[in-house]
């Protein structure tokens, strides 16, 4: 049996080499793989002065590997910032590098500075929508249906309806300003200064919201006496006005904020309606006449009275009908009372 196997194998060999041919060459990898020529060295482009994003694109297009290093000598582990520029490269521009060899790109920035700038942008984006004002032409923006929404006081001032607004409501990060919310550092600093100036900061978040609303719209007449102190409202309202004036120096009503912040009494008015007034303090002395409303048939059932500093009537009159409106002259230091007369205007 053994000799038969050998014979068969020999016969097979003769068949494979028949007609004078020889056996095929070996197909091992050592003899069949053709060597690939290495990629040519790359020339480093001149990147100095270019924004890093542009320089990075040039390196990628040239198939040159790189690493970014800041002016502190530390490698960037994250973004380099769009404003960063290339100072130089190592090796220098014009030199050649082999495939896989890294070029060091030196940038006029640091990872810390880039991260800090990015954090500022994120904070600014959050702050841009932190405040939500709803302003209305009605006396109560809380219940009004004609509210307009704003994210900053400057946008309120720029609104086409600004002159019509009578009230604004405020939410801070979704929380009503009179409720408790967390103040950011700059907001807390405003409240801290208010406290130092004698303001009411028993609820810091509400105090800060109040300053924002004071920035938003011109305050109503008599607002500087809302704590019952005259002539300039005392330390509480002065502290609020001072904070608002510092925070919103471009407010259309900055003069009023500065006046109250400085404790300056309001100038006597030259217009008045019905009520009780101190001449020279609430209203200026002089001659006044009731303005007859357009289309009205004169003034009816009007009563006015001048009183002395300690009381007592100096002069008075009850007017059942005045086609052109009554006229009266009042003097500093005395009181003046008007009932059912309408609007008085200083005419002399």
């Amino acid at each position: 049996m053994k000799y038969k196997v050998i014979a068969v194998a020999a016969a097979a060999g003769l068949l494979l080499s028949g007609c004078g041919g020889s056996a095929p060459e070996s197909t091992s990898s050592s003899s069949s793989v053709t060597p690939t020529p290495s990629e040519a060295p790359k020339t480093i482009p001149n990147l100095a002065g270019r924004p890093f994003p542009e320089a990075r694109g040039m390196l990628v297009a040239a198939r040159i590997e790189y690493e970014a290093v800041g002016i502190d000598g530390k490698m960037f582990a994250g973004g380099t910032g769009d404003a960063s520029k290339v100072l130089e490269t190592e090796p220098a521009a014009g030199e050649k590098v082999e495939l896989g060899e890294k070029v060091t790109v030196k940038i006029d920035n640091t990872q810390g500075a880039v991260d800090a700038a990015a954090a500022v942008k994120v904070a600014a984006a959050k702050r841009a929508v932190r405040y939500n004002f709803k302003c209305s032409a009605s006396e109560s923006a809380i219940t009004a249906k004609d509210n307009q929404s704003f994210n900053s006081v400057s946008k309120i001032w720029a609104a086409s309806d600004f002159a019509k607004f009578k009230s604004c409501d405020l939410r801070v990060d979704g929380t009503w300003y009179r409720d408790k919310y967390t103040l950011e550092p700059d907001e807390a600093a405003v409240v801290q200064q208010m406290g130092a100036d004698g303001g009411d900061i028993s609820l810091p978040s509400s105090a800060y919201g109040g300053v924002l609303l004071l920035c938003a719209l011109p305050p109503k007449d008599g607002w500087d006496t809302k704590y019952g102190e005259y002539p300039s409202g005392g330390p509480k309202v002065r502290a609020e006005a001072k904070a608002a004036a510092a925070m919103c120096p471009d407010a259309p009503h900055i003069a009023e904020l500065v006046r109250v912040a400085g404790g300056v009494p309001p100038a006597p008015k030259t217009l008045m309606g019905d009520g009780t007034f101190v001449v020279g303090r609430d209203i200026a002395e002089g001659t006044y006449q009731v303005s007859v409303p357009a289309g009205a048939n004169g003034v009816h059932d009007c009563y006015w009275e001048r009183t002395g500093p300690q009381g007592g009537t100096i002069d008075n009159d009850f007017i059942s009908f005045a086609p052109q409106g009554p006229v009266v002259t009042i003097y500093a230091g005395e009181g003046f009372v008007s009932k059912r007369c309408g609007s008085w205007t200083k005419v002399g």
Side-chain angles (χ1 to χ4, degrees):
M1 184 66 74
K2 178 178 177 181
Y3 300 111
K4 287 182 179 180
V5 172
I6 294 174
V8 171
L14 289 173
L15 289 172
L16 289 172
S17 58
C19 302
S22 60
E25 295 180 2
S26 170
T27 58
S28 66
S29 60
S30 60
S31 60
S32 62
V33 174
T34 302
T36 302
S38 60
E39 191 167 337
K42 302 292 184 180
T43 301
I44 301 173
N46 185 4
L47 306 177
R50 295 181 183 273
F52 180 73
E54 179 185 342
R56 178 179 55 208
M58 294 173 65
L59 292 171
V60 170
R63 297 186 64 189
I64 298 175
E65 296 187 38
Y66 67 90
E67 59 183 13
V69 176
I71 54 177
D72 57 357
K74 296 181 179 179
M75 194 182 330
F76 279 84
T80 56
D82 292 342
S84 299
K85 291 186 177 181
V86 177
L87 296 174
E88 60 180 349
T89 59
E90 191 177 292
E95 297 190 27
K96 297 183 180 297
V97 289
E98 299 291 342
L99 182 65
E101 184 180 352
K102 283 189 177 181
V103 172
T104 298
V105 182
K106 297 182 180 179
I107 300 174
D108 66 345
N109 216 328
T110 65
Q111 186 72 70
V114 169
D115 291 346
V120 169
K121 286 184 178 181
V122 171
K126 290 182 178 179
R127 177 60 66 89
V129 295
R130 176 171 172 80
Y131 309 127
N132 181 242
F133 298 87
K134 291 187 180 299
C135 300
S136 168
S138 73
E139 295 293 340
S140 176
I142 295 176
T143 58
K145 295 182 179 180
D146 66 339
N147 280 327
Q148 296 183 41
S149 295
F150 306 92
N151 292 124
S152 69
V153 293
S154 60
K155 291 181 179 179
I156 297 174
W157 305 334
S160 59
D161 291 334
F162 175 70
K164 299 178 182 179
F165 291 150
K166 294 181 180 179
S167 62
C168 290
D169 190 29
L170 172 63
R171 297 289 190 278
V172 181
D173 273 347
T175 300
W176 191 40
Y177 82 101
R178 287 192 177 276
D179 292 333
K180 187 176 181 180
Y181 57 88
T182 302
L183 292 171
E184 294 190 351
D186 63 317
E187 299 169 340
V190 171
V191 174
Q192 184 178 13
Q193 184 61 50
M194 282 181 60
D197 292 333
D200 179 5
I201 59 170
S202 53
L203 181 55
S205 53
S206 179
Y208 183 76
V211 172
L212 279 176
L213 288 173
L214 196 53
C215 282
L217 294 181
K220 298 177 182 179
D221 290 345
W223 72 283
D224 52 346
T225 60
K226 67 178 181 178
Y227 293 108
E229 299 181 62
Y230 192 87
S232 57
K236 290 182 181 180
V237 74
R238 289 201 298 270
E240 287 182 15
K242 181 179 177 181
M247 195 160 64
C248 307
D250 297 325
H253 49 286
I254 185 63
E256 176 69 355
L257 299 176
V258 171
R259 177 188 73 78
V260 176
V264 179
K269 298 178 181 179
T270 58
L271 293 172
M272 61 179 170
D274 288 336
T276 302
F277 308 92
V278 176
V279 182
R281 187 193 76 177
D282 302 326
I283 53 175
E285 67 177 351
T287 300
Y288 289 78
Q289 182 175 11
V290 172
S291 301
V292 179
N297 182 25
V299 176
H300 299 264
D301 301 325
C302 164
Y303 174 80
W304 62 263
E305 179 180 358
R306 292 170 53 208
T307 64
Q310 282 76 44
T313 300
I314 298 174
D315 193 9
N316 69 336
D317 197 3
F318 176 80
I319 300 164
S320 58
F321 174 60
Q324 297 182 357
V327 177
V328 62
T329 300
I330 54 181
Y331 301 91
E334 64 186 37
F336 183 73
V337 179
S338 173
K339 296 181 180 179
R340 301 180 303 278
C341 295
S343 177
W344 296 82
T345 302
K346 189 173 183 294
V347 294

